[in-house]
Amino acid sequence: MQDFLQQTLSGEAPRKRRGETAHLRWQWLYHGILLMEPVVPVKQALVLSAGIHGNETAPVEIMNQLVNALLRGEKPLQQRMLVILGNPSALRTGKRYVRYDINRLFGGRWQQVDDGDEARRVLRLEQALENFWLLGECDETRWHLDMHTAIRGSYHPQFGVMPQNDRPWPPAFLDWLAAAGLEALVFHRAPGGTFTHFSCEHFGAASCTLELGKALPFGENDLSQFSAAQQALAALLFGDPMPATRVKPRHYRVAQQITRLSEHFRLHMTPETLNFTAFPQGTLLAEDGDTRYYVQQAREYVLFPNPGVAAGLRAGLMLIEEGEQTQALPL
Ligand SMILES: [Zn+2]
């Protein structure tokens, strides 16, 4: 196999489904799912995924460059690694998704939507992760990095979203995220249907959804803005030197979710509203019939505002910054 991305976009299985270099053995497991194992045993297991959303191409290109270098035998591998291109049918059409946003369907939520390519893809990915983790030694370090780009511009161009996790986050994982250039980390406080929630909740993996910039079509990405993330990945995969951490990420946690309930939903933000825009207490954020969403804390920051989602789904998250005053201010 010459090129993992082209192979996946072709929709064909490769003629040769397994192979090896001086450093590693690889095995094509299914469309967009590739297992790579170092010849020398290691104690780290990494799931590296991109293309869960088909229009988020920069991370797909970055991941593909790293994987192709490994397939050509140019680089050693420091991780037992499962490489995933999440939604091949959406990647082929250049759309976020075909019928369903698969990053809402993990943890068995695919059973609640109509059977089809995307529901089956989520089941396939869940099984691939399960097989991958079960294959390893029980004392392996488990990390999952799921790479995305955001629909909107952002006050923090690069940030990470962490699933709900009752265990402490491993310091080495947080250090890696900082070195990858993430300026902010957002901590969920409730379960969700994302890929990273699934690997954290079911397999105890340290996982993060990396938002690495703004979504653009294939070939139009200026990959230089991703250099810190690229270097940090090269450090993790190949053992290259880690880039120096430029900024310590700010920590936010989710205060409330804005949910679209019906066709009457109205979000009081513009298409230009940036991620992490701050709103003062009392601001009316959205309304849906008799339901109104207000800023409850002294100050809240919006993340992923998207009034166009289907009824019942998240139309935005409101965040508070850790360490900032979280109680209501006296009137
Ligand atoms: Zn995405």
Side-chain angles (χ1 to χ4, degrees):
M1 189 166 47
Q2 303 268 310
D3 185 306
F4 180 52
L5 173 60
Q6 292 312 320
Q7 187 68 53
T8 304
L9 292 177
S10 78
E12 309 273 328
R15 265 177 305 150
K16 207 177 135 202
R17 297 196 181 186
R18 57 178 74 217
E20 57 183 53
T21 73
H23 309 291
L24 61 93
R25 285 181 286 271
W26 61 265
Q27 189 182 350
W28 183 92
L29 299 176
Y30 194 70
H31 301 285
I33 307 177
L34 182 66
L35 176 67
M36 300 185 115
E37 295 181 299
V39 176
V40 182
V42 291
K43 288 285 181 200
Q44 298 90 248
L46 170 71
V47 173
L48 185 62
S49 53
I52 285 283
H53 293 134
N55 60 337
E56 298 175 0
T57 54
V60 170
E61 293 175 43
I62 290 169
M63 190 175 86
N64 198 47
Q65 286 175 2
L66 297 165
V67 168
N68 289 344
L70 288 167
L71 287 172
R72 288 192 298 262
E74 293 167 8
K75 293 285 184 180
L77 180 61
Q78 314 280 322
Q79 309 273 330
R80 206 168 67 79
M81 183 163 73
L82 188 67
V83 185
I84 291 175
L85 287 170
N87 189 341
S89 23
L91 279 167
R92 271 176 222 122
T93 56
K95 294 208 174 87
R96 184 173 170 83
Y97 54 85
V98 181
R99 273 187 78 195
Y100 296 106
D101 184 341
I102 68 170
N103 215 24
R104 305 285 177 272
L105 297 184
F106 285 91
R109 290 166 181 80
W110 52 269
Q111 293 165 90
Q112 292 156 17
V113 301
D114 298 337
D115 186 28
D117 275 0
E118 283 161 323
R120 288 176 191 201
R121 183 66 179 171
V122 176
L123 171 60
R124 175 81 64 177
L125 296 179
E126 289 183 355
Q127 289 172 338
L129 256 62
E130 181 167 1
N131 292 337
F132 176 68
W133 301 125
L134 292 182
L135 217 69
E137 308 277 329
C138 55
D139 59 344
E140 258 183 350
T141 306
R142 294 175 175 179
W143 287 16
H144 177 192
L145 301 170
D146 185 34
M147 300 194 288
H148 291 247
T149 47
I151 300 167
R152 295 184 175 242
S154 175
Y155 281 111
H156 300 303
Q158 304 191 325
F159 58 95
V161 183
M162 320 285 283
Q164 182 197 28
N165 183 6
D166 298 332
R167 297 166 298 266
W169 290 96
F173 188 66
L174 296 177
D175 289 348
W176 186 89
L177 295 174
L182 304 188
E183 295 175 13
L185 297 178
V186 176
F187 294 84
H188 271 287
R189 288 290 188 255
T194 64
F195 203 8
T196 52
H197 264 100
F198 176 72
S199 47
C200 184
E201 183 185 344
H202 290 263
F203 305 106
S207 58
C208 179
T209 307
L210 284 82
E211 298 286 353
L212 295 176
K214 212 174 163 200
L216 293 171
F218 272 127
E220 291 180 27
N221 295 299
D222 171 13
L223 295 184
S224 66
Q225 60 181 309
F226 307 108
S227 64
Q230 259 169 317
Q231 279 179 48
L233 284 168
L236 189 64
L237 269 53
F238 310 148
D240 287 2
M242 277 283 269
T245 300
R246 288 169 301 130
V247 286
K248 191 175 180 297
R250 290 160 73 159
H251 286 196
Y252 296 83
R253 63 187 162 91
V254 176
Q256 57 171 324
Q257 171 169 316
I258 299 171
T259 304
R260 182 185 174 121
L261 302 169
S262 73
E263 72 275 21
H264 303 299
F265 181 79
R266 281 180 58 213
L267 183 70
H268 296 299
M269 296 173 201
T270 71
E272 289 74 39
T273 302
L274 298 178
N275 282 326
F276 297 97
T277 298
F279 294 90
Q281 188 176 49
T283 307
L284 177 63
L285 299 164
E287 52 194 306
D288 200 339
D290 292 337
T291 306
R292 288 187 165 77
Y293 295 93
Y294 292 98
V295 175
Q296 292 163 2
Q297 307 294 336
R299 181 164 40 182
E300 295 179 9
Y301 304 82
V302 71
L303 185 63
F304 304 137
N306 184 2
V309 295
L313 289 186
R314 179 187 86 193
L317 290 172
M318 298 306 295
L319 313 176
I320 49 179
E321 187 169 1
E322 298 279 352
E324 219 175 330
Q325 185 181 3
T326 55
Q327 295 302 308
L329 292 176
L331 295 168

